[in-house]
Amino acid sequence: MKKNQQGQGRATLRDVADAAGVSIMTVSNVVNGKTARVSDEIRLLVKEKIKDLKYVPHLRGRGLRLAKDFAIGLVMLHPERRFLNDPFNTEVAAGMSNKLAQNGYGLLIFGAQNSKDLENKLPRISQLDALAVYIFGDTAQRDAVYTKLAALGLPMLLIGDEANDSLADASFVRQTNEEGAFQLAELGLSNGARKILFMRPDHFWPAMAQRELGARKAAAGRADVETMICTEINFQAVVSQVKTRLSANPPDFVMGGNDLFGIAATQAALQLGFSIKKDLMITGFNGFAFREYSMPLLTSMRSPAYEIGEAAAAALLKRITKGSFPGGKVLNVEFLPGDTCA
Amino acid sequence: MKKNQQGQGRATLRDVADAAGVSIMTVSNVVNGKTARVSDEIRLLVKEKIKDLKYVPHLRGRGLRLAKDFAIGLVMLHPERRFLNDPFNTEVAAGMSNKLAQNGYGLLIFGAQNSKDLENKLPRISQLDALAVYIFGDTAQRDAVYTKLAALGLPMLLIGDEANDSLADASFVRQTNEEGAFQLAELGLSNGARKILFMRPDHFWPAMAQRELGARKAAAGRADVETMICTEINFQAVVSQVKTRLSANPPDFVMGGNDLFGIAATQAALQLGFSIKKDLMITGFNGFAFREYSMPLLTSMRSPAYEIGEAAAAALLKRITKGSFPGGKVLNVEFLPGDTCA
DNA sequence: CTGAAAGCGCTAACAC
DNA sequence: GTGTTAGCGCTTTCAG
């Protein structure tokens, strides 16, 4: 029966309790659906007052008591400052955000360009309930970051990677990169490809490595595979790099590690007067919206990035509410026909 | 001198206080830099213990006491479920996230497809310190959403819109859409354009309206302007809509309300055998990365979306820490030369 | 079935 | 300069 400050500021449990003439605990029980502990009559009365006062539980108070934040972090270590420029990241974020919001959780997004940059954000990150992490770099670099993040003691879900045994409280969600690339390579091979050029960026990325591996497995004993590493600074730079490579030693099949590379190869081929599909087959990987902006339409593989985000959120939610992670999940990529290959 | 639970769980003020043999308040004062109230000797000792115990202030406790969350929301009402597919949204989010993280704040992202969808997320949204909102729809629709959001009592920053007088605690950040479109139109007009076709999506968007207005102002008395409304369901559908329109009644200048429309027009023109730039000039708007994937390169206008995100975050931070919003901010778009117009 | 007490971690206000 | 008190809003525990 303290300062029942109706009207000013948000209503609290105490406001509702006073209005209903019951104790604060009874209101709490009603709010949390502990129906067995409250009589129907009182329950209805309390519910009415809750509506009247527009009472919404304060996450701060509840969080302090329960040691929870109702917020999950998505940490992306990506060489670009505009880390969200990559549609893969973006779709993962959208999928997570939507899924979490449905469950009353919020998604906090943290981009870092390198390990040191990440350091500064650790104090804020450490206050969350759990983390989804999407980290670029080679195995050693990624493991170093995972270890550092794991030290925060938060449940962690790895995106696009497999959970290492050294990570105690972790799981993962990834997609079938190797299988997808295998399938694309098979398509080219069955249409006569004998000299394959695989294009990938100059920074390491597990997905890229898996795609290259898939291509090489398919080609083993049937075709040569060479890898071209492109500095991804800007699109036009990639186009001229490919152009040079195509004129010097022309392959019959260019496999872009992602659609950007496939599109760059398409433009290079066009500029050099190659007959695409006949002289030179081209494929990409990912199948995000911008793929359609390039002509002829790039043959590609759709990455279920949005679904990966949803699955990541679901796994994290399960870990938080049920106490344990589900096993790692692998989502399938899907063939996207186009006009640049067979 | 209670349970000094060193080792298990995160350290608290009490742990540090016990370790240093001082009171909890002294530690708090050190942590918060209230240096005038603590002797140098003690300050150093406490700082050492803080490092030893890896103490990080718990935002939950601090937040409860101070009625703060150290988190800001970005609410986007966008017809697409994958709301982050729009690079504009994405860059705004990245800019905000980076800027906020530098200041120890987190960014929570909420996408909603319509007003009802938003309703479900309100309870979670209401727990934040402030909101940036980016809402599509006509003036009435946007105002309705602003009003609903304003009822939460949170400081609000409007993105891509001007703050309405009816909004008590609000500011805005937008870009010079009208001026940019005026400039693009002028370019076409000075190169002989007399029949302009302006393409925009079937849902309303303030930025679009401003761009159309800019084009019409430039053309007034010098050229005809017609508007074509496209159902933006998918890219190929837009291409065929333009194709039909171009053959039926060919303009000499197509102004795309954004790059997607400009690129669609480019592909349509190519398929119809128009000579781009000579028979038909084309421009777009936004200048995000994917613009380069289309050939010939679209003449366009760069939108400073990332910078808008940074400015939005800065304004919100000022409001939260200093108590008042800065005035609205208008950022300039920037001409991007290309090969589709003059 | 209902309520009173205790305390999550922190800081403003006020003693000493 | 330093410490004590009170309490932000909530839920677990335990009496009634």
Side-chain angles (χ1 to χ4, degrees):
Chain A
M1 204 82 71
K2 295 188 168 184
K3 48 157 186 179
N4 184 341
Q5 42 166 261
Q6 257 138 285
Q8 50 190 38
R10 274 166 61 189
T12 71
L13 273 188
R14 152 135 277 120
D15 295 329
V16 180
D18 288 353
V22 297
S23 94
I24 199 176
M25 262 322 293
T26 300
V27 181
S28 174
N29 285 329
V30 171
V31 168
N32 293 300
K34 299 213 200 301
T35 171
R37 309 179 55 127
V38 185
S39 70
D40 280 8
E41 189 188 7
I42 297 234
R43 193 168 50 76
L44 258 36
L45 172 66
V46 170
K47 286 210 161 179
E48 193 186 308
K49 295 300 178 192
I50 286 179
K51 197 171 283 179
D52 286 355
L53 276 71
K54 298 190 173 64
Y55 169 74
V56 177
H58 284 48
L59 254 30
R60 283 192 281 254
R62 195 182 258 178
L64 182 57
R65 182 63 237 240
L66 265 26
K68 274 189 148 207
D69 283 288
F70 304 97
I72 284 178
L74 170 58
V75 178
M76 308 204 250
L77 194 64
H78 193 281
E80 244 194 295
R81 183 181 66 140
R82 296 167 163 182
F83 58 98
L84 282 174
N85 260 2
D86 187 326
F88 194 100
N89 296 354
T90 272
E91 297 221 355
V92 168
M96 284 192 71
S97 169
N98 286 344
K99 185 77 177 185
L100 290 175
Q102 284 165 21
N103 292 274
Y105 274 73
L107 176 71
L108 292 252
I109 298 193
F110 297 89
Q113 292 179 74
N114 51 54
S115 182
K116 203 186 144 217
D117 187 15
L118 180 59
E119 206 84 42
N120 302 322
K121 297 171 179 172
L122 251 25
R124 183 64 185 77
I125 292 175
S126 70
Q127 316 269 347
L128 301 164
D129 292 330
L131 255 35
V133 300
Y134 189 31
I135 310 295
F136 93 105
D138 61 35
T139 307
Q141 290 172 313
R142 296 199 311 284
D143 280 351
V145 176
Y146 292 150
T147 305
K148 187 178 296 183
L149 251 13
L152 299 178
L154 265 31
M156 232 165 58
L157 189 123
L158 276 38
I159 292 178
D161 204 349
E162 299 252 339
N164 190 309
D165 280 346
S166 68
L167 263 24
D169 192 7
S171 186
F172 69 92
V173 182
R174 64 169 184 86
Q175 65 183 13
T176 52
N177 287 302
E178 189 182 323
E179 295 81 345
F182 187 96
Q183 191 181 336
L184 286 173
E186 192 61 46
L187 179 67
L189 288 162
S190 66
N191 280 279
R194 290 301 169 262
K195 283 184 71 173
I196 300 181
L197 180 67
F198 187 89
M199 294 174 63
R200 66 170 191 78
D202 58 354
H203 50 261
F204 192 92
W205 203 276
M208 281 298 161
Q210 291 159 9
R211 288 171 202 168
E212 185 177 346
L213 185 64
R216 288 188 178 277
K217 278 195 181 168
R222 300 163 65 191
D224 280 341
V225 181
E226 271 187 55
T227 296
M228 175 177 177
I229 295 179
C230 304
T231 42
E232 213 182 356
I233 9 159
N234 72 58
F235 182 70
Q236 285 309 329
V238 175
V239 173
S240 42
Q241 286 172 64
V242 204
K243 230 162 116 178
T244 308
R245 181 60 176 71
L246 289 188
S247 9
N249 179 12
D252 49 22
F253 184 17
V254 174
M255 296 186 67
N258 62 32
D259 287 346
L260 185 150
F261 293 122
I263 291 173
T266 303
Q267 295 202 3
L270 248 26
Q271 289 176 30
L272 291 172
F274 283 58
S275 165
I276 289 176
K277 192 151 99 176
K278 198 163 150 283
D279 294 352
L280 182 68
M281 291 181 276
I282 306 176
T283 58
F285 212 107
N286 274 347
F288 300 130
F290 69 75
R291 160 173 166 265
E292 299 199 81
Y293 304 160
S294 167
M295 298 257 290
L297 184 64
L298 186 68
T299 300
S300 190
M301 213 82 204
R302 191 184 88 88
S303 291
Y306 184 88
E307 290 79 3
I308 286 178
E310 288 186 315
L316 255 3
L317 249 11
K318 174 169 187 299
R319 167 63 185 81
I320 291 175
T321 56
K322 311 263 192 267
S324 74
F325 265 124
K329 198 161 179 178
V330 182
L331 303 189
N332 290 320
V333 297
E334 180 197 352
F335 180 63
L336 246 26
D339 301 319
T340 60
C341 180
Chain B
M1 204 83 69
K2 295 187 167 185
K3 48 155 187 181
N4 184 342
Q5 43 167 261
Q6 258 139 285
Q8 51 190 37
R10 274 167 60 190
T12 71
L13 273 188
R14 153 135 275 121
D15 295 329
V16 180
D18 288 354
V22 297
S23 94
I24 200 175
M25 264 320 293
T26 300
V27 182
S28 174
N29 285 329
V30 172
V31 169
N32 293 301
K34 299 213 200 300
T35 171
R37 310 179 56 127
V38 185
S39 69
D40 280 8
E41 188 188 7
I42 297 235
R43 195 169 47 78
L44 259 35
L45 172 66
V46 170
K47 285 212 163 179
E48 193 187 309
K49 295 298 177 191
I50 286 178
K51 198 171 282 179
D52 287 355
L53 277 73
K54 298 190 172 64
Y55 170 75
V56 176
H58 289 221
L59 254 31
R60 284 191 281 254
R62 195 183 258 177
L64 181 58
R65 180 64 238 239
L66 264 27
K68 274 188 148 207
D69 283 287
F70 305 97
I72 284 179
L74 171 58
V75 178
M76 309 205 249
L77 194 63
H78 192 279
E80 244 193 296
R81 182 183 65 141
R82 294 154 127 107
F83 57 98
L84 282 175
N85 261 2
D86 188 327
F88 194 99
N89 297 353
T90 272
E91 297 220 356
V92 168
M96 284 193 71
S97 169
N98 286 344
K99 185 78 177 181
L100 290 175
Q102 284 165 20
N103 291 274
Y105 274 74
L107 176 72
L108 292 252
I109 299 194
F110 296 89
Q113 292 179 74
N114 51 55
S115 182
K116 206 188 140 213
D117 187 14
L118 180 60
E119 205 84 41
N120 303 321
K121 296 171 178 171
L122 251 26
R124 183 64 185 78
I125 291 174
S126 70
Q127 316 269 347
L128 302 164
D129 292 331
L131 256 34
V133 300
Y134 189 32
I135 310 295
F136 92 106
D138 61 34
T139 307
Q141 290 172 313
R142 295 200 312 284
D143 280 353
V145 176
Y146 293 149
T147 305
K148 186 176 299 184
L149 251 12
L152 299 178
L154 265 30
M156 233 166 57
L157 188 123
L158 276 38
I159 293 179
D161 205 349
E162 299 251 338
N164 190 308
D165 279 346
S166 68
L167 263 24
D169 191 7
S171 186
F172 69 91
V173 181
R174 64 168 182 86
Q175 65 183 14
T176 53
N177 287 302
E178 189 182 321
E179 295 81 346
F182 186 97
Q183 192 181 335
L184 286 173
E186 192 61 47
L187 179 67
L189 289 162
S190 67
N191 280 279
R194 289 304 169 260
K195 283 184 71 173
I196 299 180
L197 180 67
F198 186 89
M199 294 174 63
R200 66 170 191 79
D202 57 355
H203 51 261
F204 192 92
W205 203 276
M208 281 295 161
Q210 291 160 9
R211 289 171 201 169
E212 185 176 347
L213 186 64
R216 287 186 179 278
K217 279 195 180 167
R222 301 162 66 192
D224 280 341
V225 180
E226 272 187 54
T227 295
M228 175 178 177
I229 295 179
C230 304
T231 42
E232 212 181 357
I233 9 161
N234 72 58
F235 182 71
Q236 284 310 327
V238 175
V239 173
S240 42
Q241 285 172 66
V242 204
K243 231 163 118 178
T244 309
R245 180 61 175 70
L246 288 188
S247 8
N249 179 13
D252 50 21
F253 185 17
V254 174
M255 296 185 68
N258 61 33
D259 287 345
L260 184 150
F261 292 123
I263 291 174
T266 302
Q267 294 203 4
L270 248 26
Q271 288 175 32
L272 291 172
F274 283 59
S275 164
I276 290 176
K277 191 151 100 177
K278 196 161 151 284
D279 294 352
L280 182 68
M281 291 182 276
I282 306 176
T283 59
F285 212 106
N286 274 346
F288 299 130
F290 69 75
R291 160 175 167 265
E292 300 198 81
Y293 305 160
S294 168
M295 299 255 292
L297 184 64
L298 187 68
T299 300
S300 189
M301 214 83 204
R302 192 184 87 87
S303 292
Y306 185 88
E307 292 79 3
I308 287 179
E310 288 186 315
L316 256 1
L317 249 11
K318 173 169 188 300
R319 167 64 185 80
I320 290 176
T321 56
K322 312 262 191 269
S324 75
F325 265 123
K329 196 160 184 180
V330 182
L331 303 189
N332 289 321
V333 298
E334 179 198 350
F335 180 63
L336 245 27
D339 302 319
T340 59
C341 180

